[in-house]
Amino acid sequence: MPIRILDADSAAKIAAGEVVERPASVAKELIENAIDAGATDIRIELKDGGIALLRVIDNGAGIPAGELPLAFQRHATSKIGSIEDLPLVATLGFRGEALPSIAAVSQVSLASRPAGAASGSQLRVHGGEIVEQSSLGCPPGTGVGVRELFYNTPARRKFLKTPLAEGGQVTRLVGHFALAYPGIAFSLMADGRAVFRSSGGGDLSDVIARLYGPEVARGMIPVDLNDGLQVRGYVSQPQVSRASRSHISLFVNGRLIQGRSMLHAVEEAYASLLMVGRHPVAVLNVNLDPAQVDVNVHPSKAEVKFAAERQVLGRIHQAVHQAVARYAPVPVIEMRAPLIGSVPGPLPPEFRSQNSEFGGAGTEFEPSRGTFSGGQRPVDAEFRVPNVLGTLPMLRVLGQLALTYIIAEGPGGLYLVDQHAAHERVRLDAIQRSRQNDTGQAPDAQLLLQPLTVEVSPVQAAAAGAAQPALSRLGIELEPFGDRTYLLRAIPAAMRLDQARDTIGAMLDELAAEAPGDWDDAAAHSLACHTAVRAGQALSEEEMRALIAQLETCWSPQACAHGRPTMVHLSQAQLEREFGRR
Ligand code: ADP
Ligand code: MG
């Protein structure tokens, strides 16, 4: 085919594909316009998941009658005057593309009345053509109705999912906006049914409660870091987790961001506190100098580029990590049934979150508010002194149980420490610490005088190939030696030489099964696990004391490398209840 210039209609429909993919993308553009217009009340209505009708009504500044047709022209915007304005743009929109793109592939009617105007006016646009303009009475603000999305591009309509699925995406989107803008009242109706409403009262935890329920809201930890770059919001305690990432809402200067790098920064801040496959609930607003962010790098602006990417991601990671590590509680032993009928049963778990930094003994701590509610017993002064990082109580070892658990006494009761999980945490911390003073070299690698041959299975061989650089950074030097054989030239100090073959075999099996995205991380976890003491191993009192002392210096002492708890706590208050002492 010879080169030709497309006719205007085809060009418009093709360009629309970049902005308008489905009802949720239409909703995003219309809601952003309403926010840019200063609305404090935004109503969204759907029919058939937004395919038959998607309407957004706001109480914002409105559009003067004379400017209505302009709003539907490509590159027509009131938000920037020229490219020079872009670096400092404070509005969500600026390309002047959304309305024309939407109108090219649907039947749009827009009614608007600026606050001062005597009446409003309406414009109807079908498939990009203005079909009617008239004046009409309407309240101040703007209403945009989008009907029959893709009615004139059947190929694209075919790609839409069911109304239920499309409506679900709009619902999630509205939830995100409500979280980003607690000061705006959002409401969503679908097929005449009220789906969601936020109050617009400005309280983020209130929006979280409406969206995810009061229990989740109570389990959220405030995040507040402010030093030039501001990171604010809430993240969930590690024990409040979800099977998908859809409960993570991240905003940069008020823009919903869906890029992976910020997600990773948040999730990595939990490190091993979350079980594999679980994800936190999080709402984080990152605010920084607009000149430090390029917002024009993605067709639907779902990603941004930071001038100082590493620093920004580092700060996000740090803000979340500090919040989470400080609040990670020791799980409390649940007594299934009170031993004596008259003794009140344990409190529901949400009221019983213990935080050792604040003492513990019989003190109920409400993480969502950061306040005490009814501490029954004063805490001994010495127990108030937190350890280095304020996350683990000081424990006195009493003995070993079933060759698996260390029994210890601590502030406010009895602690059972899983020796393997605890040691795994200690090992992982040591590995991560040595990695931070990164010299590129594994600091404690022991060169073997005689290299060992390690035979591997085909599955292990594949993992060994992929993991080799990561293993080498941990001090495990494997060198290919024939088809299914490796030469082991160095091992980390923590690994016993007589167990090196077994340990490395087990690590390779684990890595092969996991096929991780981050080999360094997975290899570190695996090494920590396979060099830690096992359950069933007798420990001397001295060894137990040393282990507990090491655990006290760890960042997240209450969870092992796989996110399982390292210890459980039976509080003094519970003991007293169980024995009917009060
Ligand atoms: P952009 O948002 O990039 O400027 P749009 O195509 O989304 O481009 O909108 C074009 C213009 O129409 C906006 O710049 C704004 O002036 C006006 N407009 C659109 N929606 C609204 C609204 N809900 N309230 C007030 N003005 C609006
Ligand atoms: Mg816009």
Side-chain angles (χ1 to χ4, degrees):
M1 210 190 286
I3 300 178
R4 281 179 308 190
I5 292 178
L6 288 173
D7 62 85
D9 181 51
S10 307
K13 283 179 185 166
I14 287 171
E18 292 199 346
V19 183
V20 185
E21 207 187 337
R22 52 182 6 106
S25 37
V26 175
K28 173 172 186 284
E29 296 296 335
L30 298 183
I31 294 171
E32 289 191 346
N33 280 347
I35 294 170
D36 284 346
T40 55
D41 190 319
I42 301 177
R43 298 168 192 205
I44 299 105
E45 287 170 32
L46 307 181
K47 275 201 188 112
D48 284 345
I51 302 170
L53 170 69
L54 193 154
R55 197 182 351 241
V56 175
I57 301 168
D58 68 55
N59 65 349
I63 307 172
E67 289 183 19
L68 271 192
L70 257 186
F72 285 90
Q73 281 186 28
R74 208 155 279 285
H75 311 305
T77 177
S78 58
K79 298 170 192 176
I80 56 173
S82 74
I83 187 72
E84 275 84 57
D85 297 339
L86 192 53
L88 294 176
V89 71
T91 49
L92 297 170
F94 52 78
R95 290 184 188 143
E97 273 177 348
L99 289 182
S101 297
I102 294 166
V105 292
S106 65
Q107 304 169 359
V108 175
S109 69
L110 188 154
S112 191
R113 180 180 148 204
S119 75
S121 55
Q122 186 192 30
L123 191 69
R124 294 204 296 129
V125 186
H126 284 193
E129 299 293 323
I130 295 181
V131 295
E132 187 193 333
Q133 178 161 15
S134 56
S135 64
L136 91 171
C138 60
T142 303
V144 185
V146 176
R147 283 173 203 278
E148 300 304 336
L149 186 61
F150 299 140
Y151 80 103
N152 55 353
T153 48
R156 310 207 50 209
R157 185 148 176 142
K158 245 190 2 229
F159 278 100
L160 290 177
K161 300 201 175 98
T162 61
L164 192 71
E166 297 293 347
Q169 294 214 19
V170 177
T171 307
R172 266 194 291 281
L173 180 84
V174 172
H176 283 310
F177 273 113
L179 291 168
Y181 296 90
I184 298 178
F186 286 89
S187 75
L188 173 64
M189 303 271 292
D191 300 312
R193 214 166 39 84
V195 177
F196 170 76
R197 147 182 307 281
S198 68
S199 71
D203 180 3
L204 176 54
S205 62
D206 175 56
V207 184
I208 294 175
R210 280 167 192 262
L211 208 55
Y212 301 141
E215 192 146 333
V216 168
R218 268 197 296 272
M220 298 296 279
I221 311 166
V223 174
D224 195 350
L225 179 113
N226 198 351
D227 56 353
L229 175 104
Q230 189 187 51
V231 186
R232 303 190 68 173
Y234 288 89
V235 295
S236 57
Q237 297 180 21
Q239 66 270 37
V240 180
S241 65
R242 291 290 176 274
S244 84
R245 296 194 171 88
S246 63
H247 289 63
I248 305 178
S249 312
L250 305 173
F251 310 98
V252 172
N253 292 350
R255 246 172 241 289
L256 177 66
I257 297 304
Q258 279 158 341
R260 301 199 70 66
S261 52
M262 269 177 73
L263 264 179
H264 271 131
V266 172
E267 293 213 293
E268 266 175 20
Y270 282 81
S272 47
L273 287 170
L274 284 172
M275 297 255 210
V276 178
R278 303 296 294 180
H279 306 278
V281 181
V283 183
L284 288 177
N285 292 287
V286 178
N287 290 305
L288 72 170
D289 178 359
Q292 296 298 308
V293 198
D294 187 350
V295 295
N296 197 24
V297 295
H298 189 268
S300 57
K301 311 189 199 93
E303 290 180 29
V304 292
K305 202 165 164 345
F306 298 108
E309 176 101 1
R310 283 177 65 96
Q311 276 101 310
V312 172
L313 295 178
R315 301 322 300 276
I316 295 170
H317 181 282
Q318 181 195 359
V320 176
H321 192 97
Q322 276 175 3
V324 172
R326 186 142 35 88
Y327 276 77
V330 178
V332 175
I333 292 176
E334 283 264 5
M335 287 291 175
R336 295 276 169 247
L339 300 178
I340 302 165
S342 62
V343 177
L347 288 166
E350 67 268 30
F351 294 114
R352 211 164 355 91
S353 181
Q354 294 274 349
N355 188 299
S356 54
E357 186 182 3
F358 295 88
T363 316
E364 257 81 62
F365 182 70
E366 269 183 36
S368 59
R369 288 215 230 114
T371 54
F372 291 96
S373 69
Q376 290 101 334
R377 274 166 56 99
V379 181
D380 290 350
E382 81 183 85
F383 286 146
R384 278 184 196 278
V385 181
N387 72 327
V388 191
L389 294 157
T391 49
L392 187 69
M394 284 189 286
L395 301 179
R396 190 168 71 87
V397 171
L398 301 176
Q400 195 184 21
L401 173 69
L403 297 181
T404 301
Y405 306 107
I406 299 168
I407 310 169
E409 184 194 27
L414 179 79
Y415 291 76
L416 286 176
V417 180
D418 180 320
Q419 66 193 40
H420 172 69
H423 198 206
E424 203 177 66
R425 163 53 60 192
V426 168
R427 285 265 192 258
L428 184 64
D429 246 51
I431 293 167
Q432 280 166 344
R433 259 199 300 269
S434 73
R435 220 195 258 155
Q436 264 159 19
N437 342 319
D438 199 2
T439 52
Q441 286 281 290
D444 64 354
Q446 319 269 299
L447 273 182
L448 306 183
L449 291 176
Q450 282 271 305
L452 282 180
T453 54
V454 181
E455 309 278 351
V456 294
S457 71
V459 172
Q460 289 175 331
Q468 207 181 354
L471 292 175
S472 153
R473 283 189 281 276
L474 292 173
I476 302 172
E477 291 298 349
L478 280 175
E479 192 181 282
F481 187 66
D483 206 359
R484 295 273 191 72
T485 312
Y486 279 82
L487 280 185
L488 180 61
R489 294 199 170 274
I491 58 172
M495 194 182 284
R496 281 173 52 177
L497 181 59
D498 58 340
Q499 294 174 353
R501 274 201 190 98
D502 283 351
T503 306
I504 288 168
M507 286 178 67
L508 291 177
D509 281 337
E510 206 167 65
L511 290 168
E514 223 179 307
D518 183 344
W519 288 95
D520 277 308
D521 217 44
H525 280 67
S526 186
L527 178 65
C529 176
H530 291 285
T531 54
V533 296
R534 307 255 130 216
Q537 213 167 310
L539 298 180
S540 70
E541 205 182 312
E542 187 137 38
E543 287 171 318
M544 290 189 277
R545 265 207 303 275
L547 175 52
I548 297 290
Q550 287 171 347
L551 190 61
E552 277 171 2
T553 67
C554 285
W555 231 142
S556 307
Q558 285 103 358
C560 81
H562 295 96
R564 289 187 297 273
T566 55
M567 61 179 70
V568 293
H569 175 209
L570 181 55
S571 79
Q572 188 93 32
Q574 269 179 295
L575 279 171
E576 283 170 7
R577 267 202 301 274
E578 298 298 338
F579 286 107
R581 286 182 170 275
R582 45 179 198 96

